[in-house]
Amino acid sequence: MNSETIEIYHPRGVSNLGQWDIGGLKLKVYGLVADNKKVDGPMVTLAQSFVRQEVLPRVVDEGDDNGMGFVIIHPGELGVSISVHWWIQGSVLCQHIYRKLYSAAEPMDTVKRPVVACVWELALINAEQEA
């Protein structure tokens, strides 16, 4: 177990960044920002590219989707996370994540790392489940 200090939960700023219709997938888009961070144009472009290139093929492969989902663009303390979620079979949530440390040249391998979401993203995921 890591003996470093655990970060205390402090709510982060959330914003509604509108809706995207990409490849027939209707997505609500949220910004979730750490202190002194912001969602900028290049992050939005990266997120849209990620949806087109990486997520849409997964949606097709999984099948049985309802064409609805949501995106969280999260510039955090150490890096940016873009998590894309879509619904299948009426009530099953699928997810694909892009994560990159600000100091890294390449994104993290999210297949080998079993990350689901950070505590701040879980609040948005829960809100979507309740909606």
Side-chain angles (χ1 to χ4, degrees):
M1 184 170 171
N2 190 337
S3 61
E4 292 182 30
T5 304
I6 296 174
E7 184 178 356
I8 296 173
Y9 175 83
H10 297 286
R12 292 195 168 177
V14 176
S15 59
N16 179 339
L17 301 178
Q19 295 184 357
W20 298 342
D21 189 345
I22 299 177
L25 192 58
K26 293 182 184 338
L27 300 162
K28 293 183 203 175
V29 185
Y30 297 99
L32 177 66
V33 296
D35 286 342
N36 301 315
K37 302 293 182 189
K38 66 178 184 171
V39 175
D40 59 20
M43 280 183 207
V44 170
T45 300
L46 174 64
Q48 290 172 333
S49 244
F50 179 66
V51 169
R52 284 186 185 94
Q53 296 173 11
E54 303 237 1
V55 175
L56 288 180
R58 288 175 179 254
V59 172
V60 170
D61 288 347
E62 187 62 38
D64 203 15
D65 68 279
N66 66 2
M68 294 172 42
F70 58 99
V71 177
I72 302 170
I73 303 172
H74 184 184
E77 296 293 333
L78 301 175
V80 64
S81 294
I82 300 168
S83 56
V84 181
H85 310 258
W86 68 98
W87 297 98
I88 65 167
Q89 301 168 350
S91 61
V92 176
L93 186 61
C94 294
Q95 176 190 58
H96 188 43
I97 302 174
Y98 170 95
R99 297 187 75 212
K100 183 178 173 296
L101 296 173
Y102 295 124
S103 62
E106 296 293 322
M108 295 176 177
D109 182 341
T110 57
V111 174
K112 291 182 181 177
R113 295 190 73 232
V115 173
V116 173
C118 80
V119 68
W120 296 276
E121 293 163 352
L122 288 173
L124 280 171
I125 293 167
N126 185 61
E128 280 295 317
Q129 179 269 323
E130 289 181 359

